[in-house]
Amino acid sequence: MPLSKTLLRLAVGSSLLLLGGCKMVVMSPSGDIARQQADLIIVATVLMLLIIVPVLFLTLYFAWHYRHSNKKAKYDPEWHHSTGLEVVIWSAPLAIIIALGAITWISTHKLDPYRPLDRIDANRPVTPDIKPISVEVVALDWKWLFFYPEYGIATVNELAAPVDVPINFKLTGSSVMNAFYVPALAGMIYTMPGMQTKLHAVINEPGTYDGLSANYSGEGFTDMRFKFLGLAQDDFDQWVARVKQGGSALNRDTYLKLEKPSIKEPVRYYSSVQEGLYRAVLNMCALEGQMCMDEMMHIDKMGGAGVDSQENRARLQYDNRRATESVEETGDSSDAAAPSTSTPARGSDAAEVIDINATPSPSSMNQSMQGMQHPTTTGSDASLQAIGQLENDASAKP
């Protein structure tokens, strides 16, 4: 056997072995939403191939048929137009684009992640007696926290749901943007701090499935994975009971410790959850003393707090959580690293409120001018004295 054929067969065989290790979960999922998305991919691909395959074939055919050595090919240098050919060239792609656009438009609305499910699978609709299960998801650095508000429990890096029961996800984050993705269940949906996204899905086959973050979020992104358990109803009830028996309590203090960045976090169970904790995480006020985002938005909706808003400054510091940790470690209490629950490092005195609409009196203006002409020698007044000296020197020059 020639060496070239041997190498070719080895290359083909190696490629098949590599492909054999691939997981085709995206095209063969276990959830109805993911199944519909896979069908949409197949339909769109087939529609596009209806044009691509003939074009590729005709390109090769024309190159072969009209080769220089083929004397039988008709040569017509005066040919410049064919109405029939133009109709075929333009009508076929136009028809495919119309069909593809219609299918995509319908599927986009039907598979909207915010849209509640209307079916369990292709043969079973959602009936009024089917009660969905709610799961509140928080993307942390670098782990996943799941709340089950109906059961009063929470888990880390393990998600479970009964088979053939609609799942209503509410998702948020504590730090940077992530993307919640269980390929066997549904498409990915982003999680962002201070915002809430939604996802509706259902799992139709029991099993253990992989979940991950599909958006790069830093050092521990690679290991930001979890297991999704599709369980029969009895098995799910046993799982809930096991979480309640073997878990600990999840309150604000526990959450703040859990929120700190960590990699390869093990599965954890929490048998009870402090009331309102997910709302506090969503509104970025899990730390005692912070103003919640919904409270801030209500103040803005009502026209703002006016001059009284200066008292809320310390409660509105959301982006220095990491700086707070560095203060505790180094003891540095500069303004850039001021804890969000303490008063600003500029001083304990309240800032002077200036009424810009008030008309200054002549005496106050004179006092201000005298202060500029006879400043003291400390702080910012020393700068005024230096500026005045420079002006005097400039005026003294001829």
Side-chain angles (χ1 to χ4, degrees):
M1 181 182 296
L3 180 61
S4 58
K5 290 186 177 180
T6 303
L7 293 177
L8 178 61
R9 291 185 178 183
L10 288 175
V12 173
S14 301
S15 301
L16 292 176
L17 289 175
L18 292 174
L19 290 174
C22 296
K23 295 182 179 180
M24 298 298 293
V25 62
V26 174
M27 301 308 300
S28 182
S30 301
D32 184 61
I33 295 297
R35 177 71 268 170
Q36 295 181 67
Q37 293 172 340
D39 293 341
L40 178 60
I41 294 174
I42 294 174
V43 171
T45 303
V46 170
L47 284 174
M48 290 184 286
L49 288 177
L50 291 177
I51 286 295
I52 295 174
V53 171
V55 167
L56 293 177
F57 172 77
L58 290 175
T59 300
L60 297 175
Y61 172 76
F62 290 150
W64 175 81
H65 181 72
Y66 292 101
R67 67 192 185 278
H68 179 70
S69 60
N70 185 14
K71 303 303 181 181
K72 296 181 180 180
K74 183 180 179 181
Y75 177 67
D76 186 4
E78 302 300 327
W79 183 89
H80 66 281
H81 178 74
S82 172
T83 302
L85 187 59
E86 290 288 342
V87 171
V88 173
I89 290 175
W90 289 105
S91 62
L94 181 61
I96 290 176
I97 290 174
I98 293 174
L100 185 61
I103 293 173
T104 303
W105 187 87
I106 294 172
S107 300
T108 299
H109 289 275
K110 186 177 181 180
L111 299 176
D112 182 358
Y114 281 64
R115 182 175 182 266
L117 300 185
D118 57 4
R119 74 181 206 181
I120 300 298
D121 55 31
N123 302 317
R124 293 178 293 172
V126 174
T127 57
D129 59 320
I130 298 178
K131 183 180 179 181
I133 180 176
S134 299
V135 180
E136 297 167 339
V137 183
V138 180
L140 304 172
D141 293 333
W142 286 274
K143 48 198 169 283
W144 293 93
L145 175 61
F146 303 104
F147 293 92
Y148 290 80
E150 297 163 347
Y151 299 93
I153 60 175
T155 61
V156 172
N157 286 345
E158 185 173 282
L159 172 65
V163 173
D164 294 336
V165 174
I167 312 171
N168 299 340
F169 290 102
K170 296 180 180 179
L171 308 99
T172 188
S174 68
S175 181
V176 300
M177 180 184 295
N178 278 283
F180 175 83
Y181 187 33
V182 182
L185 181 67
M188 67 181 70
I189 188 75
Y190 283 97
T191 64
M192 294 160 282
M195 301 180 68
Q196 178 175 270
T197 52
K198 296 181 180 180
L199 176 66
H200 294 83
V202 61
I203 192 71
N204 300 118
E205 299 177 10
T208 301
Y209 307 98
D210 293 325
L212 66 151
S213 172
N215 188 79
Y216 180 74
S217 57
E219 180 182 0
F221 160 76
T222 304
D223 298 304
M224 193 172 174
R225 299 173 177 270
F226 63 93
K227 292 297 181 181
F228 171 57
L229 309 179
L231 305 173
Q233 186 62 56
D234 293 340
D235 295 334
F236 177 75
D237 294 337
Q238 294 177 10
W239 179 83
V240 172
R242 185 167 65 253
V243 173
K244 290 185 176 181
Q245 293 175 0
S248 57
L250 179 61
N251 52 30
R252 287 177 180 258
D253 293 335
T254 307
Y255 169 78
L256 292 175
K257 295 177 182 178
L258 181 65
E259 184 192 30
K260 296 181 179 180
S262 61
I263 300 176
K264 295 183 179 180
E265 192 72 21
V267 174
R268 295 187 184 184
Y269 294 154
Y270 297 97
S271 57
S272 62
V273 178
Q274 182 176 347
E275 184 178 358
L277 181 57
Y278 173 77
R279 173 191 169 275
V281 175
L282 171 61
N283 288 281
M284 302 176 68
C285 56
L287 190 65
E288 291 290 349
Q290 285 181 318
M291 178 182 288
C292 294
M293 296 290 291
D294 55 357
E295 181 183 354
M296 181 196 305
M297 289 186 287
H298 177 72
I299 292 176
D300 292 340
K301 181 180 179 181
M302 301 304 294
V307 295
D308 296 334
S309 61
Q310 64 173 332
E311 300 176 358
N312 296 328
R313 181 179 183 275
R315 300 178 61 200
L316 295 174
Q317 297 182 16
Y318 298 101
D319 298 330
N320 63 345
R321 289 170 292 172
R322 304 294 176 259
T324 304
E325 297 172 6
S326 64
V327 169
E328 296 174 353
E329 295 174 357
T330 63
D332 183 10
S333 59
S334 62
D335 185 51
S340 57
T341 54
S342 64
T343 55
R346 295 183 184 274
S348 58
D349 296 336
E352 181 181 358
V353 180
I354 301 176
D355 188 354
I356 61 175
N357 296 320
T359 303
S361 61
S363 59
S364 63
M365 294 179 64
N366 291 335
Q367 292 176 359
S368 300
M369 294 299 294
Q370 292 175 0
M372 293 178 64
Q373 295 174 1
H374 304 286
T376 59
T377 58
T378 61
S380 60
D381 292 337
S383 300
L384 294 175
Q385 185 179 14
I387 294 173
Q389 183 64 35
L390 291 174
E391 292 177 349
N392 293 334
D393 293 343
S395 60
K397 292 181 180 181

